[in-house]
């Protein structure tokens, strides 16, 4: 077929696929998140099996490890949320709160009821997705021991596909490791700084910084908003500016300037394309798409670019920059 027609048909197929994925985002996003969590903890299963542990013990350890991490995060959020609710009366007479109440008095009550109904619907949907995610984590954790066998069967028929999937696992695991290390460093520094500034619930905002660190480029903006607002309500604008200044110096430098270089090398993606992927997957899958942007892009890349020998041009555009990309001056010519 003519190249123009091939491009047109490929673009049309991509639009249909993206529309389908967006329609079932409620299924794709939790499934992908569960897969990434299991990929991150699966080395524990392999380590235990290498030490002679029986399969059932290795599988149970992986499942308990996954649920244990989620339980720690959930307990931290619930306890801190309860403390935040208990602090609400302290801000009842704050000028900003009074202005907000005055603005709400002019809002149509019918619209307000509709907004509240929408929030309740979203909360119900979130609860359903959480139950679905927990079930997926259980099933995937149980089947993690058979992953190598499945890949071996794929290799018998499609060795290139097996290698692409293995590359996806390797790159995803490196990306998660790098992001987790940076997230722990940023979360620890944020927690200490907020505690020194006497900002309430410093541990909660540290956990928030850790989670938003998985959102490329703009995660620090989402992490700084709650503690800055709380500092404004409790201590005034000076303390709020101090929080913004600290986050701006630390989180922006680490998360937006330093970390993307390491995560880009780990995932094999350029910083610019990572940001574009963030916007795209957030539009397709919603908030979870921002967390899953890099792993999803890596999966698409290994399946559509790395498997195609004729897609070297696309790989060159997607990969992070290297030192050999910098043009060098030609050697001077010598006279004969």
């Amino acid at each position: 077929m003519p190249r123009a027609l091939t491009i047109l048909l490929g673009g049309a197929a991509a639009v249909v696929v993206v529309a389908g994925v967006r329609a079932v985002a409620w299924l794709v996003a939790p499934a992908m998140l569960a897969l990434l969590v299991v990929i991150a903890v699966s080395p524990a299963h392999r380590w235990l099996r290498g030490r002679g542990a029986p399969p059932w013990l290795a599988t149970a350890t992986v499942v308990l490890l996954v649920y244990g991490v989620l339980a720690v995060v959930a307990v931290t959020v619930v306890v801190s949320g309860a403390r935040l609710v208990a602090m609400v009366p302290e801000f009842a007479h704050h000028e900003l709160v009074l202005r907000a109440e005055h603005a709400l008095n002019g809002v149509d009550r019918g619209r307000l009821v509709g907004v509240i109904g929408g929030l309740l619907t979203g909360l119900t949907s979130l609860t359903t997705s959480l139950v679905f995610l927990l079930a997926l984590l259980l099933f995937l954790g149980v089947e993690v021991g058979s992953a190598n066998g499945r890949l071996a069967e794929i290799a018998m028929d499609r060795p290139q596909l097996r290698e692409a999937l293995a590359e996806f696992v390797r790159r995803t695991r490196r990306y998660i490791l790098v992001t987790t290390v940076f997230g722990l460093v940023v979360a620890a520094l944020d927690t200490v700084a907020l505690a020194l500034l006497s900002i309430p619930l410093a541990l909660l905002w540290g956990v928030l910084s850790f989670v938003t660190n998985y959102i490329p480029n703009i995660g620090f903006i989402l992490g700084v908003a709650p503690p800055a607002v709380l500092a404004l309500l409790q201590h005034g604008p000076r303390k709020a500016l101090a929080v913004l200044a600290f986050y701006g110096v630390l989180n922006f430098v680490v998360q937006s300037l330093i970390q993307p270089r390491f995560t880009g090398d780990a995932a094999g993606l350029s910083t610019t394309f990572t940001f574009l992927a963030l916007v795209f997957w957030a539009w397709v899958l919603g908030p979870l798409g921002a967390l899953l942007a890099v792993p999803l892009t890596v999966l698409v890349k290994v399946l559509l670019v790395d498997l195609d020998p004729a897609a070297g041009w696309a790989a060159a555009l997607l990969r992070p920059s290297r030192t050999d990309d910098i043009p060098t001056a030609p050697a001077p010519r010598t006279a004969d």
Side-chain angles (χ1 to χ4, degrees):
M1 291 187 297
R3 181 174 297 273
L5 182 58
T6 302
I7 295 175
L8 182 62
L9 291 177
V15 170
V16 172
V17 171
V18 170
V21 172
R22 193 180 185 193
V24 292
W26 61 271
L27 173 64
V28 175
M32 191 66 187
L33 179 59
L35 177 62
L36 295 182
V37 173
V38 173
I39 287 175
V41 301
S42 59
H45 184 279
R46 185 170 60 252
W47 184 84
L48 289 172
R49 293 289 290 137
R51 297 300 185 277
W56 66 268
L57 179 59
T59 300
T61 302
V62 170
V63 173
L64 292 177
L65 180 61
V66 171
Y67 281 169
V69 173
L70 293 178
V72 170
V73 175
V75 169
T76 303
V77 172
V78 170
V79 173
S80 301
R83 289 186 56 196
L84 182 61
V85 171
M87 294 172 56
V88 169
E90 300 179 14
F91 310 129
H93 302 291
H94 195 275
E95 182 181 357
L96 293 178
V97 177
L98 294 177
R99 290 182 180 180
E101 292 179 354
H102 178 71
L104 289 175
N105 290 332
V107 176
D108 185 8
R109 295 186 180 275
R111 293 183 179 179
L112 185 59
V113 171
V115 171
I116 295 176
L119 292 176
L120 293 177
T121 303
L123 181 61
T124 303
S125 176
L126 179 62
T127 304
T128 304
S129 298
L130 180 60
V131 173
F132 180 57
L133 174 63
L134 294 176
L136 278 175
L137 287 173
L138 175 61
F139 298 145
L140 289 175
V142 170
E143 295 185 357
V144 70
S146 62
N148 290 332
R150 295 175 188 271
L151 289 176
E153 292 182 16
I154 294 175
M156 296 175 62
D157 185 44
R158 298 287 182 88
Q160 291 182 337
L161 178 59
R162 188 266 178 200
E163 183 58 32
L165 293 175
E167 181 67 12
F168 163 69
V169 172
R170 285 193 295 267
R171 288 190 176 277
T172 299
R173 192 171 289 146
R174 288 203 301 265
Y175 167 76
I176 293 175
L177 176 62
V178 171
T179 308
T180 301
V181 170
F182 275 99
L184 290 174
V185 171
V186 170
L189 294 176
D190 287 346
T191 302
V192 172
L194 293 175
L196 293 177
L197 291 173
S198 301
I199 306 300
L201 309 177
L203 181 60
L204 174 62
W205 310 134
V207 172
L208 180 62
S209 295
F210 175 75
V211 174
T212 55
N213 186 66
Y214 289 95
I215 302 177
N217 304 113
I218 63 171
F220 80 97
I221 299 177
L222 303 177
V224 70
V229 172
L230 191 61
L232 177 63
L233 293 175
Q234 189 174 46
H235 300 288
R238 288 187 178 181
K239 195 61 70 73
L241 289 176
V243 173
L244 291 174
F246 177 81
Y247 269 74
V249 172
L250 173 66
N251 295 41
F252 177 76
V253 171
V254 174
Q255 293 178 284
S256 296
L257 299 181
I258 300 177
Q259 180 179 334
R261 297 179 180 272
F262 292 90
T263 55
D265 292 336
L269 299 173
S270 68
T271 304
T272 302
F273 194 80
T274 299
F275 178 73
L276 295 176
L278 165 69
V279 177
F280 173 77
W281 287 113
W283 171 73
V284 174
L285 299 179
L288 271 181
L291 288 172
L292 304 173
V294 173
L296 282 171
T297 306
V298 172
L299 179 60
V300 173
K301 178 179 179 291
V302 298
L303 293 179
L304 299 183
V305 177
D306 295 351
L307 280 178
D308 188 357
W313 62 271
L317 293 176
L318 298 180
R319 66 169 173 80
S321 59
R322 300 188 302 232
T323 54
D324 56 3
D325 293 331
I326 302 175
T328 57
R333 298 180 61 182
T334 60
D336 295 336

